[in-house]
Amino acid sequence: MNKVIEVKNLVKVYGKRSAAFTALKNVSLDIFEGESVAIIGKSGSGKSTLMHLLALLDRPTSGTIKINGVDSTKLNGRKLNQLRNRSFGFVFQQFFMNPSDTVLENVVLPLKIAGINRKTRRSRAEKAIATVGLRERLKFKANDLSGGQKQRVCIARAIVNDPKIIFADEPTGNLDSATGEKIIKLLFDFNKNKGATLIIVTHDEDLAKLCNRQIRISDGKVIEDTKSKTPQKPSKTTKQSKEK
């Protein structure tokens, strides 16, 4: 398998001098094409800091992060933005949607940023929205959706650019269990059917077990990196449940 992310001696320090706090301490790891990876740890362990660095949403204090062989630490802001837009999809617990925009307008945004023409981006956005089962909500305002529907819109927005890597930060944290199962199934289906690398940050051990690989973080260090021989399959919702 090809390496999609190579991390060497990653350090992240917040603050200065007596107020300095080292969130990550010489982390090194490789992530491969098509893997599903869980980054696990308690609150304050450094797992979210690691994800933000891997996703190029923040810069390390020292160390290197290569994306498909490209050293991202040497790229300027414009090049970083292009790399994120073309290669990554993001699913966050907080949704980060414009509540006054429609589902279509929210999903089409990454394509608009990428400079895709209007006809093509609408077609691709509608396909992504249909993939997550929200075709009938195309013109609904984001503010009028349930939590589960909002998270599905976020997944549609994440996959609309056909990304090579999807980052999901506690993607089911604000959802009921039945709706959470649907969200996880969507993410793993994309991982399996498109061959995209899936990186999930979570404190949920059951969710972590669904992944091919579990990277456990504690006090800013990787303390365990294991591969599942036979990862569990996302369970199917067995009974109807109203999305919250």
Side-chain angles (χ1 to χ4, degrees):
M1 289 188 294
N2 297 323
K3 293 180 184 178
V4 292
I5 301 178
E6 299 174 68
V7 173
K8 299 294 183 185
N9 302 319
L10 207 61
V11 174
K12 181 62 180 179
V13 179
Y14 294 103
K16 295 180 179 180
R17 298 175 183 172
S18 61
F21 170 71
T22 304
L24 288 179
K25 306 168 184 176
N26 293 310
V27 171
S28 296
L29 55 88
D30 297 326
I31 296 177
F32 296 87
E33 183 179 10
E35 279 193 307
S36 56
V37 180
I39 299 176
I40 321 160
K42 296 180 181 179
S43 178
S45 63
K47 65 182 186 299
S48 291
T49 297
L50 177 58
M51 192 214 71
H52 276 78
L53 293 178
L54 296 181
L56 310 184
L57 297 171
D58 197 1
R59 286 186 177 272
T61 303
S62 62
T64 60
I65 305 168
K66 291 184 179 180
I67 307 295
N68 291 317
V70 176
D71 187 350
S72 65
T73 56
K74 296 180 179 179
L75 298 179
N76 61 27
R78 182 180 178 184
K79 293 289 186 180
L80 278 175
N81 289 337
Q82 288 177 343
L83 182 57
R84 281 195 300 262
N85 182 255
R86 294 172 182 173
S87 302
F88 299 163
F90 300 97
V91 180
F92 294 117
Q93 185 177 351
Q94 295 85 1
F95 308 135
F96 295 118
M97 297 169 63
N98 189 334
S100 61
D101 283 350
T102 65
V103 168
L104 179 62
E105 288 167 338
N106 273 284
V107 173
V108 85
L109 185 59
L111 300 175
K112 194 173 183 179
I113 293 172
I116 306 298
N117 68 71
R118 180 176 296 182
K119 182 178 179 181
T120 301
R121 66 184 185 233
R122 183 182 178 97
S123 174
R124 288 172 61 176
E126 287 181 353
K127 182 178 178 182
I129 292 166
T131 297
V132 301
L134 290 177
R135 189 192 302 272
E136 303 303 318
R137 298 289 190 272
L138 197 72
K139 297 181 179 180
F140 276 51
K141 301 287 187 183
N143 221 21
D144 297 327
L145 302 176
S146 69
Q149 289 169 339
K150 288 178 181 177
Q151 194 62 298
R152 281 194 274 166
V153 173
C154 290
I155 292 176
R157 184 178 59 192
I159 68 176
V160 73
N161 254 353
D162 200 20
K164 301 301 181 186
I165 306 170
I166 291 182
F167 294 94
D169 189 4
E170 299 286 5
T172 61
N174 288 329
L175 306 175
D176 65 88
S177 58
T179 304
E181 287 175 3
K182 296 176 184 178
I183 297 304
I184 292 305
K185 185 177 186 305
L186 285 169
L187 289 171
F188 279 92
D189 281 350
F190 191 80
N191 164 246
K192 180 180 178 181
N193 298 331
K194 294 288 187 176
T197 301
L198 176 61
I199 300 173
I200 300 177
V201 171
T202 185
H203 65 273
D204 185 337
E205 296 287 344
D206 290 334
L207 174 54
K209 290 175 183 177
L210 300 177
C211 296
N212 303 126
R213 181 178 168 196
Q214 297 81 36
I215 297 173
R216 195 172 299 275
I217 304 287
S218 180
D219 295 325
K221 296 180 180 180
V222 174
I223 61 169
E224 187 179 26
D225 188 346
T226 59
K227 291 187 177 181
S228 299
K229 293 181 180 179
T230 53
Q232 299 176 21
K233 295 181 180 179
S235 57
K236 296 180 179 179
T237 304
T238 54
K239 56 184 178 181
Q240 296 295 322
S241 175
K242 185 178 179 180
E243 292 178 336
K244 297 180 180 179

